[in-house]
Each structure stands twice: as C-alpha cells, then as structure tokens.
Amino acid sequence: MRRLQPPRSPVHTAFWVDAAFEFVAGGAQLLLSDSIGRWLNVDRALIVTSGVVFIGAALAIALFALQAHPRRGVVSALAAANLAGGAAIWFMVALRWSEFAPQGRWLAAAVADSFVAVALLEFLALRRTTHPTSVSG
C-alpha cells in the first residue's frame, strides 16, 4: 500500500488546500441542504447537486495533488476556473442580493472569496516553480 507523501512543491500544497475547500464546501451543502436552500432561496435539489459536484471536484483535485509532477497547464487551468467560479458567484450574489437571507449573503460571499483565494494561491504557487512544463519540488 502506498503511503501519502507530504506535498512536494507549493503547487502540491495549493492542490491540497483546494481539495480540502471543495470537500468541506460540498459536505456542508449535503449536510445543510435544507437550510442553505432557504438562505439562498433555491431548491434543495440544486444544493444537493452542487454538493455532489464539489465532492467530485475535491476527489479530482486530490488526484492531481498525488501526481509527482503536475503539468503547469493543469495548474493554471484549475486556478483560472477557481477565479472564474469566484467571480461568477459574486455576480450572482450581486444580481440576487435582495432575494437572499442574511445567512445566504454571508455564505455566498464566503464561498466566492474562498474560490478567489484558492485561485490566487495556485497562481502564486505556479510563480514559485521553475520547470517550464511540469511542477516539481
């Protein structure tokens, strides 16, 4: 059985942070779907579906984190997707602000900010690596 190794590079650390964020966000959506649905004024099924997507993303990102040398293109694509996700959530929050309960406003803002923070962490980790096509320690 292969033991999990500690992160080999800043990118590996960023991937583990991203996977943890996705897992916690997905788990919270699955466990609190009724409340979150009320706070955001959306159907519970949408929250559950989103939670499953987050858990799936966490597993996929964990697989990238386990790679010895993740490709730079994958890292930058994931960082860009996180940045776009954060911006999309903020856009949705701005459009529907008055429809959300105060808890929903806080939650959506926290998730949007978390996406942006993870994206910045991944972009920064990329800058701290030197190999032109893959990332290593």
Side-chain angles (χ1 to χ4, degrees):
M1 176 180 233
R2 183 175 169 218
R3 292 183 53 202
L4 289 179
Q5 300 294 319
R8 297 174 196 101
S9 72
V11 167
H12 288 95
T13 301
F15 275 167
W16 285 118
V17 169
D18 193 348
F21 160 65
E22 302 275 351
F23 183 78
V24 168
Q29 288 176 77
L30 294 176
L31 292 172
L32 304 171
S33 58
D34 288 330
S35 295
I36 294 172
R38 278 193 315 276
W39 297 341
L40 297 176
N41 195 25
V42 297
D43 188 55
R44 178 185 180 274
L46 178 64
I47 302 301
V48 170
T49 301
S50 177
V52 170
V53 169
F54 270 76
I55 297 290
L59 295 173
I61 295 164
L63 290 175
F64 289 130
L66 290 172
Q67 293 179 348
H69 305 287
R71 292 183 352 173
R72 293 180 73 81
V74 170
V75 181
S76 59
L78 184 57
N82 280 320
L83 189 59
I89 293 170
W90 267 117
F91 182 72
M92 182 265 314
V93 168
L95 287 178
R96 298 188 60 204
W97 185 262
S98 64
E99 297 174 34
F100 295 157
Q103 302 93 323
R105 294 174 187 160
W106 176 89
L107 179 65
V111 170
D113 286 350
S114 296
F115 268 114
V116 171
V118 168
L120 294 175
L121 178 65
E122 288 165 341
F123 281 129
L124 180 61
L126 258 182
R127 276 193 67 155
R128 295 194 57 178
T129 61
T130 57
H131 196 277
T133 59
S134 66
V135 180
S136 62

